[in-house]
Amino acid sequence: VEVETWGTADHLTVQIGLSRDDQRLAAEVPITDGIAEVVLDVESPVLWWTHDLGEPALYDLVVRLRTENSILDERQERVGIRTIRVDQSPDPNEPGCKFFTFVLNDVPIFAKGANWIPADSFLSQMTEDRYRELLELAVEAHMSMLRVWGGGIYEKPEFYRLCDELGILIWQDFMFACARYPDYDPDFYAEVAREAEWIVRRLRNHPCLALWCGNNENDWIEDMVYWDQPGHDFPGRKIYHELLPRLVGKLDPTRLYWPSSPYGGNDHNDEREGDRHNWQTWHGAIYPRRFGEPPRRDFSPEGVSFRHYAEDPARFISEFGMHAAPILETLRRNVPPEELYLGSEGMLYRNKDFPKDKGNNLMLAHTGLPKDLNQYIDFSMIAQAEGLKFGIEHYRRRKPHCSGTLFWQLNDTWPGLSWSVLDYYTFPKAGYFYVRRAYAPVMASFKREDDGGYSLWIVNDTLEAVTDEVIWGVCTFEGAIWHREKVHVNVPANSSCRITHMAGDQLPGDPRRTFLFVRSSSGCFPDNREFRVEVKDLIRPHPSLTVGMSQDESGRITVRVSSDVYAYFVKLIVPIEGTRFSDNYFDIFPGEERVVQVWNIAGRTISPAEVEVSCLDHV
């Protein structure tokens, strides 16, 4: 405890109390040269965990500054007891590579999450309720880590307190991003030191804080611009590689300081160690690359296809993503009615990427180009959602060699067209629900093999083994079963397992007219499917949806949707803020029914007439 005094400091003591339920510890110690120090030994502590692995248990800490007769000052905090480290040891099964695995309470974890950016351009608009809404949506999507991006802000105290309470780990960037900062200017350098010391002291007691990172992409961009001068000095190097590690080592030595993101290996975006930003999809960057080599790009539809994620053997992916439009309601609120059409100036203004048509090549690769605004909303959402699903499934299957995915990005700072899965008004895009299923604690997925066949994998992120009977096979979009098989599985805790395989010459049916499916007999993982060709190349019959709705006394609506044939991209649209869905943007297998709950957390009563249900007919 550090104490500042203005006047006499005689007979000052510090009382410290730590408590949780029936555990109570206390001590009183004198102050010596402005410092009071005590160690409290907690027997059988209740540990702080991320929400997916246990309880984010918190203790109440009270610190009082006293004279003999009165309390002069008091601080109260909620703190957690846990250990956190990053395992960067060599990977024995992939020679020449190193792990980059967060280890929480001696348990190696796969960090599932996204990048967090400021949630409003006007910071005073960010209330605790808005923070809670966004963070609870992250928890509902099974996210265990968020990266506070270095191009944003150090968030308000409420943000970190809620992450403590909700069990979300935080990768914390220092606020340096995509620019050259003048470490040669003594006044600026001193200001950086003051700010960094202040923020480390402010945040270091939070159990949610997992890592300090020096900057976003500065080292990487510098090397790509000056690729023919590897290892050269550059503005900002003294900040990220000397000042910040020294301050963190002094003020918070229990956490890893990481110089930049991405960083590690031969090229700052090396797939063999450290963390990577995979921007081949969307930005066309080609990997691998090594120091001294010029950067290369391929902006063709094939070059930006999200299928390239399957080629990535990276250890920890701290950025990757794709643009998608928000729902039509968000555009209606912000684009003049006369410009609410595809390609208008009003629409282009809401797209902050450059060039404005960059997403066309991604859609050309997977959905084809849209003909109008409604198609653009659907096609861009499909490209983003299918791409995030494909990438996350690939990276999770590589566990433990890969140990985390933080896609770009969770939220939006402004109503526009962006990489977010939650738009400015917190309306979820399709990508949010696809990610929620892909981040489920237990996940089944298919991997395309070199022989043209597919292997079935189950990833188990829980701390208990999963025993189940899995049903998988090949089905036509009309409902004819070409292959169906039951497999008894036992997947160890915290592992990824290959279950079975079907060679390419054994796969039945026309790949354009069939799909692979997998489901759990016990419901321990979400149903999944795999298309053997791109969405644009599927040949599907026209689905006929049957929709029924009922509403209970609390206002909650139960929606029942069934289809005679395979229904792709079934969506429920309610353009009212605060509306939540138990599921959305899903597929319905032939002849089956899905039941969805709809409610509003903002207290707004929704009528069944305000729930629009549709699916994508043909691409």
Side-chain angles (χ1 to χ4, degrees), residues 16-311:
I16 299 162
L18 186 71
S19 62
R20 175 185 167 84
D21 299 332
D22 58 350
Q23 290 184 313
R24 297 183 181 278
L25 294 89
E28 186 167 0
V29 292
I31 296 169
T32 304
D33 297 327
I35 299 291
E37 184 172 325
V38 64
V39 175
L40 300 177
D41 291 322
V42 184
E43 294 184 10
S44 302
V46 182
L47 299 182
W48 185 93
W49 291 94
T50 51
H51 65 89
D52 55 330
L53 297 180
E55 179 189 3
L58 295 173
Y59 284 74
D60 292 310
L61 175 67
V62 180
V63 180
R64 294 186 177 95
L65 177 65
R66 293 186 57 91
T67 63
E68 292 182 6
N69 301 314
S70 62
I71 298 173
L72 301 180
D73 199 6
E74 179 178 289
R75 286 286 299 273
Q76 297 187 34
E77 292 184 4
R78 302 198 76 199
V79 298
I81 299 175
R82 60 104 184 95
T83 61
I84 189 81
R85 62 184 177 88
V86 180
D87 177 10
Q88 298 185 71
S89 63
D91 184 341
N93 294 316
E94 294 192 354
C97 299
K98 295 180 180 179
F99 292 112
F100 194 89
T101 304
F102 285 86
V103 182
L104 177 65
N105 298 326
D106 293 329
V107 174
I109 67 172
F110 189 102
K112 297 176 291 192
N115 283 254
W116 171 280
I117 68 171
D120 203 294
S121 298
F122 300 95
L123 304 183
S124 61
Q125 300 298 312
M126 283 309 297
T127 63
E128 181 170 339
D129 286 344
R130 284 190 66 186
Y131 276 129
R132 182 178 292 278
E133 181 181 14
L134 286 162
L135 293 173
E136 287 182 345
L137 282 167
V139 169
E140 289 172 19
H142 311 292
M143 297 185 191
S144 57
M145 179 180 284
L146 296 173
R147 174 179 173 235
V148 177
W149 169 61
I153 62 169
Y154 301 109
E155 293 292 342
K156 295 180 181 180
E158 293 88 341
F159 172 84
Y160 300 96
R161 177 172 56 78
L162 286 169
C163 289
D164 290 341
E165 295 175 4
L166 295 171
I168 304 172
L169 288 168
I170 295 298
W171 171 308
Q172 177 68 55
D173 283 6
F174 285 96
M175 292 300 117
F176 303 95
C178 305
R180 305 179 110 203
Y181 292 85
D183 56 14
Y184 48 81
D185 182 309
D187 292 335
F188 181 78
Y189 189 84
E191 182 68 16
V192 168
R194 286 193 292 270
E195 178 178 288
E197 179 174 349
W198 179 81
I199 201 65
V200 172
R201 289 179 183 274
R202 178 162 84 86
L203 300 183
R204 64 185 176 184
N205 288 355
H206 287 281
C208 67
L209 195 68
L211 174 145
W212 294 102
C213 180
N215 68 74
N216 172 77
E217 296 187 347
N218 290 357
D219 292 55
W220 183 39
I221 292 173
E222 186 77 15
D223 180 66
M224 287 194 293
V225 173
Y226 299 97
W227 60 269
D228 56 349
Q229 303 173 40
H232 78 284
D233 202 9
F234 66 92
R237 179 187 288 275
K238 291 180 182 177
I239 294 173
Y240 324 130
H241 295 273
E242 297 177 17
L243 173 63
L244 295 178
R246 184 172 67 248
L247 284 175
V248 172
K250 173 186 175 183
L251 299 173
D252 190 15
T254 66
R255 293 180 178 90
L256 175 66
Y257 171 80
W258 193 240
S260 184
S261 180
Y263 192 80
N266 184 355
D267 177 43
H268 296 303
N269 213 20
D270 197 335
E271 74 280 7
R272 298 169 298 185
E273 59 181 281
D275 70 312
R276 160 175 277 193
H277 292 185
N278 188 334
W279 285 115
Q280 180 158 3
T281 300
W282 191 258
H283 291 308
I286 298 176
Y287 311 114
R289 175 185 171 270
R290 301 293 177 251
F291 288 135
E293 296 179 357
R296 297 172 295 143
R297 292 186 183 274
D298 180 356
F299 286 114
S300 69
E302 296 76 17
V304 301
S305 167
F306 58 68
R307 301 293 171 187
H308 289 293
Y309 289 139
E311 304 161 3

Side-chain angles (χ1 to χ4, degrees), residues 261-363:
S261 180
Y263 192 80
N266 184 355
D267 177 43
H268 296 303
N269 213 20
D270 197 335
E271 74 280 7
R272 298 169 298 185
E273 59 181 281
D275 70 312
R276 160 175 277 193
H277 292 185
N278 188 334
W279 285 115
Q280 180 158 3
T281 300
W282 191 258
H283 291 308
I286 298 176
Y287 311 114
R289 175 185 171 270
R290 301 293 177 251
F291 288 135
E293 296 179 357
R296 297 172 295 143
R297 292 186 183 274
D298 180 356
F299 286 114
S300 69
E302 296 76 17
V304 301
S305 167
F306 58 68
R307 301 293 171 187
H308 289 293
Y309 289 139
E311 304 161 3
D312 188 2
R315 327 309 293 176
F316 191 104
I317 299 81
S318 47
E319 278 191 24
F320 67 107
M322 293 140 281
H323 253 211
I327 66 171
L328 184 59
E329 174 65 15
T330 293
L331 297 175
R332 282 179 177 146
R333 295 183 188 184
N334 294 280
V335 178
E338 65 275 13
E339 296 194 27
L340 199 59
Y341 62 88
L342 187 62
S344 73
E345 286 298 317
M347 285 290 296
L348 294 175
Y349 178 73
R350 290 284 151 183
N351 182 344
K352 289 304 181 183
D353 199 13
F354 183 83
K356 302 292 186 179
D357 62 351
K358 188 180 288 184
N360 286 357
N361 281 337
L362 184 67
M363 289 187 289

Side-chain angles (χ1 to χ4, degrees), residues 440-516:
V442 181
M443 178 203 71
S445 66
F446 293 97
K447 177 186 177 183
R448 179 72 178 264
E449 299 290 358
D450 294 338
D451 66 0
Y454 288 86
S455 55
L456 173 63
W457 291 67
I458 295 181
V459 180
N460 176 17
D461 282 348
T462 75
L463 302 185
E464 296 182 355
V466 169
T467 300
D468 195 15
E469 188 173 66
V470 172
I471 303 167
W472 76 281
V474 181
C475 183
T476 69
F477 292 117
E478 290 82 4
I481 302 293
W482 284 91
H483 178 83
R484 187 176 187 273
E485 184 178 346
K486 288 185 179 181
V487 182
H488 185 79
V489 300
N490 192 316
V491 184
N494 211 6
S495 68
S496 174
C497 292
R498 185 177 186 267
I499 302 302
T500 188
H501 169 253
M502 179 177 282
D505 57 5
Q506 296 177 321
L507 279 168
D510 184 340
R512 300 168 300 168
R513 300 176 183 273
T514 58
F515 64 97
L516 284 78

Side-chain angles (χ1 to χ4, degrees), residues 356-416:
K356 302 292 186 179
D357 62 351
K358 188 180 288 184
N360 286 357
N361 281 337
L362 184 67
M363 289 187 289
L364 275 169
H366 300 288
T367 64
L369 288 179
K371 297 186 176 83
D372 55 34
L373 180 57
N374 286 327
Q375 270 198 349
Y376 172 70
I377 293 171
D378 282 344
F379 286 14
S380 65
M381 280 199 189
I382 288 169
Q384 181 193 57
E386 296 284 359
L388 290 173
K389 172 184 184 292
F390 185 83
I392 290 170
E393 288 177 351
H394 161 72
Y395 293 126
R396 288 190 69 186
R397 284 193 299 265
R398 278 186 41 76
K399 179 179 181 169
H401 313 294
C402 178
S403 300
T405 53
L406 308 178
F407 68 85
W408 183 267
Q409 66 209 56
L410 175 67
N411 59 314
D412 249 331
T413 190
W414 188 73

